[in-house]
mmCIF file of all heavy atoms in Angstrom:
data_model
loop_
_atom_site.group_PDB
_atom_site.id
_atom_site.type_symbol
_atom_site.label_atom_id
_atom_site.label_comp_id
_atom_site.label_asym_id
_atom_site.label_seq_id
_atom_site.Cartn_x
_atom_site.Cartn_y
_atom_site.Cartn_z
ATOM 1 N N PRO Q 1171 24.748 -25.041 -38.608
ATOM 2 C CA PRO Q 1171 25.059 -24.013 -39.604
ATOM 3 C C PRO Q 1171 26.112 -23.017 -39.145
ATOM 4 O O PRO Q 1171 26.722 -22.337 -39.969
ATOM 5 C CB PRO Q 1171 23.706 -23.323 -39.840
ATOM 6 C CG PRO Q 1171 22.886 -23.650 -38.628
ATOM 7 C CD PRO Q 1171 23.325 -25.006 -38.193
ATOM 8 N N GLU Q 1172 26.323 -22.901 -37.851
ATOM 9 C CA GLU Q 1172 27.303 -21.958 -37.329
ATOM 10 C C GLU Q 1172 28.642 -22.617 -37.005
ATOM 11 O O GLU Q 1172 29.539 -21.968 -36.459
ATOM 12 C CB GLU Q 1172 26.758 -21.265 -36.083
ATOM 13 C CG GLU Q 1172 25.529 -20.414 -36.351
ATOM 14 C CD GLU Q 1172 25.247 -19.443 -35.242
ATOM 15 O OE1 GLU Q 1172 26.192 -18.763 -34.812
ATOM 16 O OE2 GLU Q 1172 24.103 -19.378 -34.793
ATOM 17 N N PHE Q 1173 28.787 -23.896 -37.352
ATOM 18 C CA PHE Q 1173 30.028 -24.605 -37.054
ATOM 19 C C PHE Q 1173 31.202 -24.022 -37.837
ATOM 20 O O PHE Q 1173 31.075 -23.697 -39.020
ATOM 21 C CB PHE Q 1173 29.883 -26.089 -37.383
ATOM 22 C CG PHE Q 1173 31.172 -26.846 -37.242
ATOM 23 C CD1 PHE Q 1173 31.643 -27.203 -35.989
ATOM 24 C CD2 PHE Q 1173 31.925 -27.190 -38.356
ATOM 25 C CE1 PHE Q 1173 32.832 -27.893 -35.845
ATOM 26 C CE2 PHE Q 1173 33.117 -27.882 -38.217
ATOM 27 C CZ PHE Q 1173 33.573 -28.238 -36.954
ATOM 28 N N PHE Q 1174 32.329 -23.890 -37.156
ATOM 29 C CA PHE Q 1174 33.569 -23.495 -37.816
ATOM 30 C C PHE Q 1174 34.763 -24.040 -37.034
ATOM 31 O O PHE Q 1174 34.733 -24.156 -35.814
ATOM 32 C CB PHE Q 1174 33.668 -21.971 -37.960
ATOM 33 C CG PHE Q 1174 33.824 -21.235 -36.656
ATOM 34 C CD1 PHE Q 1174 35.071 -20.799 -36.223
ATOM 35 C CD2 PHE Q 1174 32.711 -20.976 -35.857
ATOM 36 C CE1 PHE Q 1174 35.219 -20.105 -35.025
ATOM 37 C CE2 PHE Q 1174 32.849 -20.283 -34.650
ATOM 38 C CZ PHE Q 1174 34.111 -19.845 -34.242
ATOM 39 N N LYS Q 1175 35.793 -24.398 -37.778
ATOM 40 C CA LYS Q 1175 37.065 -24.788 -37.183
ATOM 41 C C LYS Q 1175 38.033 -23.623 -37.301
ATOM 42 O O LYS Q 1175 37.963 -22.841 -38.254
ATOM 43 C CB LYS Q 1175 37.631 -26.028 -37.879
ATOM 44 C CG LYS Q 1175 36.802 -27.284 -37.678
ATOM 45 C CD LYS Q 1175 37.423 -28.500 -38.316
ATOM 46 C CE LYS Q 1175 37.329 -28.444 -39.835
ATOM 47 N NZ LYS Q 1175 37.749 -29.717 -40.470
ATOM 48 N N GLN Q 1176 38.936 -23.533 -36.341
ATOM 49 C CA GLN Q 1176 39.828 -22.377 -36.373
ATOM 50 C C GLN Q 1176 41.123 -22.646 -35.616
ATOM 51 O O GLN Q 1176 41.129 -23.260 -34.557
ATOM 52 C CB GLN Q 1176 39.139 -21.144 -35.777
ATOM 53 C CG GLN Q 1176 39.918 -19.844 -35.974
ATOM 54 C CD GLN Q 1176 39.111 -18.628 -35.583
ATOM 55 O OE1 GLN Q 1176 38.786 -18.437 -34.426
ATOM 56 N NE2 GLN Q 1176 38.754 -17.794 -36.551
ATOM 57 N N ILE Q 1177 42.212 -22.151 -36.198
ATOM 58 C CA ILE Q 1177 43.531 -22.172 -35.573
ATOM 59 C C ILE Q 1177 43.910 -20.727 -35.244
ATOM 60 O O ILE Q 1177 44.040 -19.894 -36.139
ATOM 61 C CB ILE Q 1177 44.600 -22.772 -36.513
ATOM 62 C CG1 ILE Q 1177 44.164 -24.146 -37.052
ATOM 63 C CG2 ILE Q 1177 45.942 -22.848 -35.789
ATOM 64 C CD1 ILE Q 1177 43.992 -25.204 -35.997
ATOM 65 N N THR Q 1178 44.065 -20.425 -33.967
ATOM 66 C CA THR Q 1178 44.446 -19.085 -33.527
ATOM 67 C C THR Q 1178 45.921 -19.089 -33.145
ATOM 68 O O THR Q 1178 46.383 -19.966 -32.414
ATOM 69 C CB THR Q 1178 43.586 -18.631 -32.338
ATOM 70 O OG1 THR Q 1178 42.203 -18.586 -32.744
ATOM 71 C CG2 THR Q 1178 44.007 -17.253 -31.843
ATOM 72 N N ILE Q 1179 46.644 -18.087 -33.627
ATOM 73 C CA ILE Q 1179 48.093 -18.010 -33.425
ATOM 74 C C ILE Q 1179 48.439 -16.623 -32.896
ATOM 75 O O ILE Q 1179 48.075 -15.620 -33.494
ATOM 76 C CB ILE Q 1179 48.844 -18.263 -34.750
ATOM 77 C CG1 ILE Q 1179 48.435 -19.629 -35.337
ATOM 78 C CG2 ILE Q 1179 50.353 -18.201 -34.557
ATOM 79 C CD1 ILE Q 1179 48.752 -19.770 -36.804
ATOM 80 N N THR Q 1180 49.170 -16.558 -31.772
ATOM 81 C CA THR Q 1180 49.585 -15.285 -31.196
ATOM 82 C C THR Q 1180 51.086 -15.331 -30.894
ATOM 83 O O THR Q 1180 51.601 -16.339 -30.436
ATOM 84 C CB THR Q 1180 48.808 -14.971 -29.901
ATOM 85 O OG1 THR Q 1180 48.916 -16.078 -28.976
ATOM 86 C CG2 THR Q 1180 47.333 -14.750 -30.189
ATOM 87 N N PHE Q 1181 51.771 -14.210 -31.142
ATOM 88 C CA PHE Q 1181 53.217 -14.194 -30.923
ATOM 89 C C PHE Q 1181 53.779 -12.787 -31.028
ATOM 90 O O PHE Q 1181 53.130 -11.871 -31.540
ATOM 91 C CB PHE Q 1181 53.933 -15.100 -31.929
ATOM 92 C CG PHE Q 1181 53.819 -14.651 -33.369
ATOM 93 C CD1 PHE Q 1181 54.828 -13.923 -33.978
ATOM 94 C CD2 PHE Q 1181 52.696 -14.963 -34.130
ATOM 95 C CE1 PHE Q 1181 54.732 -13.517 -35.306
ATOM 96 C CE2 PHE Q 1181 52.582 -14.561 -35.451
ATOM 97 C CZ PHE Q 1181 53.603 -13.841 -36.043
ATOM 98 N N ASN Q 1182 55.033 -12.626 -30.550
ATOM 99 C CA ASN Q 1182 55.834 -11.422 -30.751
ATOM 100 C C ASN Q 1182 56.766 -11.651 -31.936
ATOM 101 O O ASN Q 1182 57.460 -12.665 -31.983
ATOM 102 C CB ASN Q 1182 56.656 -11.097 -29.505
ATOM 103 C CG ASN Q 1182 55.785 -10.791 -28.301
ATOM 104 O OD1 ASN Q 1182 55.647 -11.626 -27.410
ATOM 105 N ND2 ASN Q 1182 55.220 -9.616 -28.247
ATOM 106 N N PRO Q 1183 56.824 -10.731 -32.887
ATOM 107 C CA PRO Q 1183 57.552 -10.960 -34.147
ATOM 108 C C PRO Q 1183 59.031 -10.605 -34.068
ATOM 109 O O PRO Q 1183 59.458 -9.562 -34.549
ATOM 110 C CB PRO Q 1183 56.829 -10.025 -35.107
ATOM 111 C CG PRO Q 1183 56.416 -8.878 -34.225
ATOM 112 C CD PRO Q 1183 56.096 -9.460 -32.870
ATOM 113 N N TRP Q 1184 59.860 -11.469 -33.518
ATOM 114 C CA TRP Q 1184 61.255 -11.112 -33.301
ATOM 115 C C TRP Q 1184 62.096 -11.060 -34.567
ATOM 116 O O TRP Q 1184 63.040 -10.295 -34.658
ATOM 117 C CB TRP Q 1184 61.894 -12.064 -32.290
ATOM 118 C CG TRP Q 1184 61.290 -11.951 -30.939
ATOM 119 C CD1 TRP Q 1184 60.668 -12.936 -30.230
ATOM 120 C CD2 TRP Q 1184 61.193 -10.767 -30.129
ATOM 121 N NE1 TRP Q 1184 60.195 -12.440 -29.035
ATOM 122 C CE2 TRP Q 1184 60.505 -11.117 -28.951
ATOM 123 C CE3 TRP Q 1184 61.613 -9.452 -30.307
ATOM 124 C CZ2 TRP Q 1184 60.236 -10.200 -27.941
ATOM 125 C CZ3 TRP Q 1184 61.348 -8.532 -29.308
ATOM 126 C CH2 TRP Q 1184 60.666 -8.907 -28.138
ATOM 127 N N SER Q 1185 61.783 -11.860 -35.582
ATOM 128 C CA SER Q 1185 62.648 -11.893 -36.767
ATOM 129 C C SER Q 1185 61.844 -12.129 -38.038
ATOM 130 O O SER Q 1185 60.964 -12.990 -38.076
ATOM 131 C CB SER Q 1185 63.700 -12.992 -36.633
ATOM 132 O OG SER Q 1185 64.430 -13.172 -37.843
ATOM 133 N N GLU Q 1186 62.176 -11.392 -39.082
ATOM 134 C CA GLU Q 1186 61.522 -11.564 -40.369
ATOM 135 C C GLU Q 1186 61.906 -12.878 -41.040
ATOM 136 O O GLU Q 1186 61.269 -13.288 -42.006
ATOM 137 C CB GLU Q 1186 61.880 -10.404 -41.293
ATOM 138 C CG GLU Q 1186 63.355 -10.330 -41.661
ATOM 139 C CD GLU Q 1186 63.674 -9.225 -42.649
ATOM 140 O OE1 GLU Q 1186 62.737 -8.512 -43.053
ATOM 141 O OE2 GLU Q 1186 64.854 -9.060 -43.024
ATOM 142 N N ARG Q 1187 62.930 -13.541 -40.529
ATOM 143 C CA ARG Q 1187 63.374 -14.813 -41.100
ATOM 144 C C ARG Q 1187 62.547 -15.996 -40.627
ATOM 145 O O ARG Q 1187 62.736 -17.118 -41.087
ATOM 146 C CB ARG Q 1187 64.853 -15.038 -40.774
ATOM 147 C CG ARG Q 1187 65.783 -14.016 -41.419
ATOM 148 C CD ARG Q 1187 67.232 -14.263 -41.076
ATOM 149 N NE ARG Q 1187 67.544 -13.958 -39.698
ATOM 150 C CZ ARG Q 1187 68.767 -13.976 -39.166
ATOM 151 N NH1 ARG Q 1187 69.800 -14.261 -39.937
ATOM 152 N NH2 ARG Q 1187 68.968 -13.683 -37.900
ATOM 153 N N HIS Q 1188 61.633 -15.776 -39.700
ATOM 154 C CA HIS Q 1188 60.837 -16.873 -39.153
ATOM 155 C C HIS Q 1188 59.781 -17.329 -40.157
ATOM 156 O O HIS Q 1188 59.241 -16.528 -40.929
ATOM 157 C CB HIS Q 1188 60.161 -16.422 -37.854
ATOM 158 C CG HIS Q 1188 59.736 -17.531 -36.968
ATOM 159 N ND1 HIS Q 1188 58.567 -18.237 -37.169
ATOM 160 C CD2 HIS Q 1188 60.316 -18.088 -35.878
ATOM 161 C CE1 HIS Q 1188 58.448 -19.165 -36.240
ATOM 162 N NE2 HIS Q 1188 59.499 -19.108 -35.444
ATOM 163 N N TRP Q 1189 59.439 -18.624 -40.133
ATOM 164 C CA TRP Q 1189 58.480 -19.191 -41.078
ATOM 165 C C TRP Q 1189 57.075 -18.588 -40.928
ATOM 166 O O TRP Q 1189 56.262 -18.649 -41.881
ATOM 167 C CB TRP Q 1189 58.407 -20.715 -40.922
ATOM 168 C CG TRP Q 1189 57.929 -21.200 -39.583
ATOM 169 C CD1 TRP Q 1189 58.709 -21.545 -38.522
ATOM 170 C CD2 TRP Q 1189 56.574 -21.409 -39.165
ATOM 171 N NE1 TRP Q 1189 57.914 -21.935 -37.460
ATOM 172 C CE2 TRP Q 1189 56.606 -21.868 -37.838
ATOM 173 C CE3 TRP Q 1189 55.337 -21.257 -39.784
ATOM 174 C CZ2 TRP Q 1189 55.461 -22.178 -37.111
ATOM 175 C CZ3 TRP Q 1189 54.175 -21.548 -39.069
ATOM 176 C CH2 TRP Q 1189 54.252 -22.008 -37.747
ATOM 177 N N LEU Q 1190 56.772 -17.984 -39.804
ATOM 178 C CA LEU Q 1190 55.458 -17.385 -39.608
ATOM 179 C C LEU Q 1190 55.186 -16.245 -40.594
ATOM 180 O O LEU Q 1190 54.042 -16.027 -40.994
ATOM 181 C CB LEU Q 1190 55.325 -16.866 -38.175
ATOM 182 C CG LEU Q 1190 55.145 -17.925 -37.082
ATOM 183 C CD1 LEU Q 1190 55.434 -17.323 -35.714
ATOM 184 C CD2 LEU Q 1190 53.746 -18.525 -37.116
ATOM 185 N N LYS Q 1191 56.226 -15.517 -40.966
ATOM 186 C CA LYS Q 1191 56.041 -14.353 -41.849
ATOM 187 C C LYS Q 1191 55.550 -14.760 -43.233
ATOM 188 O O LYS Q 1191 54.500 -14.270 -43.688
ATOM 189 C CB LYS Q 1191 57.337 -13.541 -41.932
ATOM 190 C CG LYS Q 1191 57.213 -12.251 -42.757
ATOM 191 C CD LYS Q 1191 58.504 -11.444 -42.684
ATOM 192 C CE LYS Q 1191 58.397 -10.105 -43.412
ATOM 193 N NZ LYS Q 1191 58.271 -10.290 -44.858
ATOM 194 N N PRO Q 1192 56.268 -15.625 -43.984
ATOM 195 C CA PRO Q 1192 55.753 -15.994 -45.305
ATOM 196 C C PRO Q 1192 54.471 -16.813 -45.237
ATOM 197 O O PRO Q 1192 53.661 -16.776 -46.161
ATOM 198 C CB PRO Q 1192 56.902 -16.802 -45.927
ATOM 199 C CG PRO Q 1192 57.693 -17.306 -44.763
ATOM 200 C CD PRO Q 1192 57.588 -16.234 -43.721
ATOM 201 N N THR Q 1193 54.267 -17.537 -44.158
ATOM 202 C CA THR Q 1193 53.108 -18.423 -44.064
ATOM 203 C C THR Q 1193 51.803 -17.673 -43.830
ATOM 204 O O THR Q 1193 50.766 -18.033 -44.368
ATOM 205 C CB THR Q 1193 53.320 -19.457 -42.933
ATOM 206 O OG1 THR Q 1193 54.548 -20.164 -43.163
ATOM 207 C CG2 THR Q 1193 52.179 -20.458 -42.895
ATOM 208 N N PHE Q 1194 51.868 -16.570 -43.075
ATOM 209 C CA PHE Q 1194 50.628 -15.899 -42.689
ATOM 210 C C PHE Q 1194 50.575 -14.402 -42.985
ATOM 211 O O PHE Q 1194 49.498 -13.804 -42.875
ATOM 212 C CB PHE Q 1194 50.365 -16.117 -41.192
ATOM 213 C CG PHE Q 1194 50.174 -17.543 -40.807
ATOM 214 C CD1 PHE Q 1194 51.078 -18.180 -39.968
ATOM 215 C CD2 PHE Q 1194 49.105 -18.274 -41.296
ATOM 216 C CE1 PHE Q 1194 50.911 -19.506 -39.607
ATOM 217 C CE2 PHE Q 1194 48.928 -19.601 -40.946
ATOM 218 C CZ PHE Q 1194 49.837 -20.225 -40.108
#
């Protein structure tokens, strides 16, 4: 019952043009 899957993402945000911004 406590099972969960997870993707953890860590980074420094150098540019607003990066795909990470609209995605997350």
Side-chain angles (χ1 to χ4, degrees):
E1172 296 197 48
F1173 174 77
F1174 68 99
K1175 294 183 288 189
Q1176 189 170 66
I1177 308 297
T1178 299
I1179 303 161
T1180 54
F1181 65 98
N1182 297 104
W1184 295 120
S1185 172
E1186 65 176 0
R1187 295 180 289 186
H1188 201 279
W1189 62 266
L1190 286 163
K1191 184 175 184 292
T1193 305
F1194 298 115

